[in-house]
Amino acid sequence: MKSLFKHPCLQFLLSRKWTSAKIVGLGIIANLLTIIIPVSVGKYYQLVFHFKGHRVRFLDFLPKIWWDTVPKFILFFFILVSARFLFQWWYQKLLRAEGELFIKSIKDQLFTHQLALPLEIYHQKGVGKYLLRYSGDIQSLKNLYLKGSLEVTIDFSILTVGMYWLLQLQFEGGLAILIMSALSLIVIRYLNKQVESHSLDKRNKTSGQLSFVSRTLHGMLSVIMMNKQEVEQEKYANRSGQIKKAAVSYNSWLMLNKGYIHFFQYTALTVVLYLFYINTDSDAATGGGPLISFILLYITLLPVFRRLFALETVYKLGHISLRKLQDILNIPEEKRLEGAAFPSHPIQLEWHFKAQGQHLKLENGINQISLSNGLSPFLFTKHLLKIQMINDLKLRLNEKAIADYAAQGLRQNIGVASSDFPLLGRTVYEAITYSRLDSIKSHTREVLENIQTLCLPPEEWMTLSTNTGENGTKVNQRQREVLALCRAILQEKAITLVYGFQTISPPLLNDILSIHFKTGIWFSIGEAFLSQEEKDIIHSLKK
């Protein structure tokens, strides 16, 4: 029972029970009007041809004065059609809006959780696996919520009323439809299972092809170097052939499934027509009114039958997607807030990697660390920020291991000036700032103009609205380093790790840091990557 109440569809339904009840009520009214319309045509037939019939007496709950003459019936029929249009529009509008709100809540919950996952999760399984949850699986969950909870309640209510009226119009015909529907469920369930099985096979093969294309395109440098274009093309052709075969098989079963449903429905109608025929003598006094009403009502109910027959597939696909979603939501989040607070000044840093290490007290200005072979500045930075812990690296702040500190506190106080970390956003302004508030735009523009005036030729200057592309793909190396430096300056962290600048010389870099951070602590990693002349310049600046 506990697992039932953890179901996101049920949780959302209960959280919006009044809106859901309103939607169900409107849906029932709209669909009742839909089935009253064809039944009332039988009444019109009787009025025009002056037949009397007891089989439409169940409509006597409507005042007879509304439609006891043809002119009154025409007016009543127009009002009925208009009311059906208004209620159907209102119902569909609320239903679709509720579906979008449900999907938004699922996406928000999923994205919030994904932002809190440890980085190694994405290294292990890749980003594509999680992107798929936003497409087909989300749509399956939407169908599960709309068709599997709200619409199914309406459909069962309408089918109950519709079958009652069919039995009133022609008991034998209505009973035949009930019996044939029950028998057809066996065949339809078998066809649904075949469709589901072949759909899963097709989706798995398609997913495998997408993964293959992604790996190949990411490894194009190796493909070109090894002259493997034809080999990869053959692999792709083989996978495409498998997908085509799976798709043909899936479509065959899908069309057979849909075709059988139509076959069954119109076979049932054939039986009904025969039953009316053999009862012609007993129904002669009523004319064709009941037959017309029965046929029109049955045709009106056909979409309801089709939706209910397809309900099993909706539930299965929805629960498959739900399990995939829950697998992601069950991954433990990174515990960013657990641990000690960031230490106060003065800060002492000690690190050991294999046989080498260093102990130093961080001071205002440039503090230099020379890393040993096998330990890059990028890995050192990720360990210091608790993004990715390196097994052989032991790092302590004020005699306390980095693992004992809260990741949130480390990242709030330690910034990074390096192009190793991608530029997020589509414009320069988005890439170098935390937010898009107008209040910080003027300061951001001033910092950008100052830095690029010192570091870039005029033809490469950028504005806050310059398009940077995905992860900075539309800017060159010099521009990327300028933006990385601006981003670090605007963060105003207590400690900033500076490394990897290839186009900005150390003296110029020191001047920039001195201008913008007079009291900040700058932490420069990677002295081993500098030339001897540059090392001498840095040491002279520290004196």
Side-chain angles (χ1 to χ4, degrees):
M1 183 62 70
K2 289 183 179 180
S3 61
L4 174 64
F5 283 96
K6 289 182 180 179
H7 197 294
C9 294
L10 183 59
Q11 287 181 334
F12 188 80
L13 190 67
L14 293 176
S15 69
R16 296 181 58 79
K17 50 183 176 293
W18 297 116
T19 302
S20 300
K22 182 179 180 180
I23 292 173
V24 171
L26 286 172
I28 290 176
I29 293 173
N31 283 275
L32 278 176
L33 292 172
T34 300
I35 63 177
I36 288 175
I37 289 173
V39 172
S40 63
V41 172
K43 179 69 173 180
Y44 171 78
Y45 187 87
Q46 291 181 346
L47 287 173
V48 171
F49 295 100
H50 306 290
F51 287 108
K52 301 294 183 181
H54 66 280
R55 290 181 177 171
V56 290
R57 286 180 182 173
F58 59 86
L59 291 177
D60 287 346
F61 70 91
L62 297 173
K64 186 178 295 185
I65 194 174
W66 287 4
W67 58 355
D68 56 354
T69 65
V70 172
K72 288 182 180 179
F73 178 87
I74 296 299
L75 178 60
F76 169 77
F77 193 77
F78 175 75
I79 294 174
L80 196 65
V81 172
S82 300
R84 189 264 177 190
F85 165 73
L86 292 175
F87 276 100
Q88 187 71 15
W89 170 80
W90 194 5
Y91 158 66
Q92 289 291 339
K93 177 176 177 290
L94 291 181
L95 180 69
R96 302 308 161 192
E98 195 73 358
E100 294 303 323
L101 186 61
F102 171 71
I103 289 305
K104 180 181 180 300
S105 70
I106 294 294
K107 286 183 177 180
D108 290 350
Q109 181 184 0
L110 180 60
F111 186 68
T112 300
H113 182 73
Q114 288 175 324
L115 286 178
L117 294 180
L119 184 64
E120 57 263 23
I121 296 297
Y122 297 103
H123 288 162
Q124 293 170 5
K125 300 183 179 180
V127 177
K129 174 181 174 65
Y130 301 103
L131 291 178
L132 290 174
R133 302 290 86 83
Y134 287 95
S135 53
D137 290 326
I138 291 294
Q139 184 60 41
S140 294
L141 285 175
K142 181 179 179 180
N143 290 336
L144 179 63
Y145 176 66
L146 293 182
K147 298 180 180 180
S149 58
L150 297 178
E151 288 186 324
V152 71
T153 304
I154 298 169
D155 285 343
F156 271 117
S157 302
I158 294 305
L159 187 62
T160 301
V161 175
M163 288 307 303
Y164 169 76
W165 283 354
L166 288 176
L167 290 169
Q168 289 290 317
L169 288 166
Q170 167 59 265
F171 180 79
E172 294 84 354
L175 186 61
I177 289 174
L178 284 176
I179 294 173
M180 293 183 68
S181 297
L183 294 175
S184 292
L185 278 176
I186 300 174
V187 179
I188 290 173
R189 287 203 64 184
Y190 170 76
L191 294 175
N192 283 340
K193 288 182 179 179
Q194 293 299 320
V195 170
E196 179 188 354
S197 173
H198 287 81
S199 172
L200 186 61
D201 182 51
K202 175 175 170 286
R203 289 172 66 178
N204 288 340
K205 284 183 168 58
T206 302
S207 177
Q209 186 190 47
L210 291 175
S211 178
F212 169 78
V213 171
S214 177
R215 291 195 308 270
T216 303
L217 295 182
H218 277 95
M220 274 304 294
L221 182 60
S222 297
V223 171
I224 294 172
M225 182 268 294
M226 299 175 67
N227 198 27
K228 292 185 63 177
Q229 288 91 335
E230 293 184 0
V231 174
E232 299 303 312
Q233 180 63 40
E234 289 178 2
K235 292 181 180 179
Y236 178 84
N238 181 47
R239 290 176 179 271
S240 293
Q242 293 179 4
I243 292 175
K244 179 185 176 183
K245 183 178 179 180
V248 169
S249 180
Y250 164 73
N251 289 328
S252 297
W253 283 104
L254 181 63
M255 292 303 103
L256 181 61
N257 189 13
K258 291 184 176 181
Y260 176 78
I261 292 176
H262 287 87
F263 167 77
F264 145 72
Q265 290 175 333
Y266 288 105
T267 299
L269 181 59
T270 303
V271 173
V272 169
L273 291 175
Y274 176 73
L275 291 173
F276 266 97
Y277 167 72
I278 63 176
N279 288 294
T280 301
D281 293 339
S282 61
D283 294 340
T286 65
L291 174 60
I292 294 174
S293 295
F294 191 101
I295 294 175
L296 291 177
L297 176 56
Y298 178 66
I299 292 175
T300 304
L301 290 175
L302 290 183
V304 178
F305 279 104
R306 284 195 286 268
R307 287 196 296 269
L308 292 177
F309 284 146
L311 198 58
E312 183 182 15
T313 301
V314 170
Y315 280 129
K316 285 187 176 180
L317 293 179
H319 282 97
I320 289 173
S321 297
L322 181 61
R323 285 195 297 270
K324 294 179 181 178
L325 176 69
Q326 288 176 334
D327 286 343
I328 296 177
L329 295 177
N330 289 335
I331 298 175
E333 296 183 354
E334 181 187 23
K335 298 177 181 179
R336 291 181 295 170
L337 302 178
E338 294 186 7
F342 190 77
S344 57
H345 301 308
I347 297 176
Q348 296 186 15
L349 184 144
E350 179 182 357
W351 67 272
H352 294 279
F353 181 73
K354 297 182 179 179
Q356 298 187 18
Q358 187 177 2
H359 182 282
L360 74 159
K361 178 181 178 181
L362 299 181
E363 301 175 352
N364 291 343
I366 296 180
N367 298 265
Q368 188 71 25
I369 287 184
S370 299
L371 298 180
S372 58
N373 291 331
L375 180 61
S376 68
F378 187 45
L379 290 178
F380 190 98
T381 301
K382 290 199 291 185
H383 188 100
L384 182 61
L385 295 176
K386 290 186 72 172
I387 296 174
Q388 179 183 356
M389 306 304 289
I390 311 302
N391 292 332
D392 294 331
L393 177 60
K394 309 299 180 184
L395 208 160
R396 303 172 68 87
L397 287 179
N398 288 9
E399 299 185 354
K400 184 176 292 187
I402 284 294
D404 296 332
Y405 286 100
Q408 185 86 344
L410 292 171
R411 297 164 194 172
Q412 286 177 345
N413 289 275
I414 301 176
V416 181
S418 171
S419 57
D420 277 347
F421 290 82
L423 299 171
L424 296 177
R426 296 167 297 179
T427 65
V428 167
Y429 187 54
E430 294 175 1
I432 64 178
T433 59
Y434 271 108
S435 64
R436 305 177 189 179
L437 298 176
D438 292 335
S439 57
I440 66 170
K441 185 171 288 188
S442 59
H443 176 58
T444 304
R445 184 183 295 107
E446 180 183 354
V447 170
L448 175 65
E449 291 175 352
N450 288 342
I451 299 303
Q452 64 184 2
T453 298
L454 294 171
C455 303
L456 293 177
E459 61 271 14
E460 293 184 1
W461 287 359
M462 299 168 286
T463 65
L464 295 182
S465 60
T466 298
N467 187 354
T468 57
E470 184 178 355
N471 294 337
T473 55
K474 292 187 177 181
V475 295
N476 60 35
Q477 180 63 27
R478 283 193 299 268
Q479 292 172 320
R480 192 175 295 112
E481 290 185 5
V482 165
L483 295 180
L485 188 55
C486 290
R487 179 175 60 184
I489 291 171
L490 291 167
Q491 288 178 356
E492 299 182 354
K493 300 293 178 70
I495 299 175
T496 300
L497 288 70
V498 185
Y499 72 89
F501 286 88
Q502 302 173 11
T503 64
I504 303 177
S505 65
L508 178 56
L509 185 60
N510 181 77
D511 290 341
I512 293 172
L513 307 185
S514 301
I515 293 172
H516 291 280
F517 282 90
K518 293 185 173 69
T519 58
I521 297 176
W522 286 89
F523 184 35
S524 179
I525 301 179
E527 185 178 5
F529 296 92
L530 302 178
S531 65
Q532 186 60 48
E533 180 183 359
E534 290 170 333
K535 294 177 188 178
D536 295 339
I537 294 174
I538 290 178
H539 286 301
S540 66
L541 291 170
K542 290 173 62 179
K543 295 178 180 179

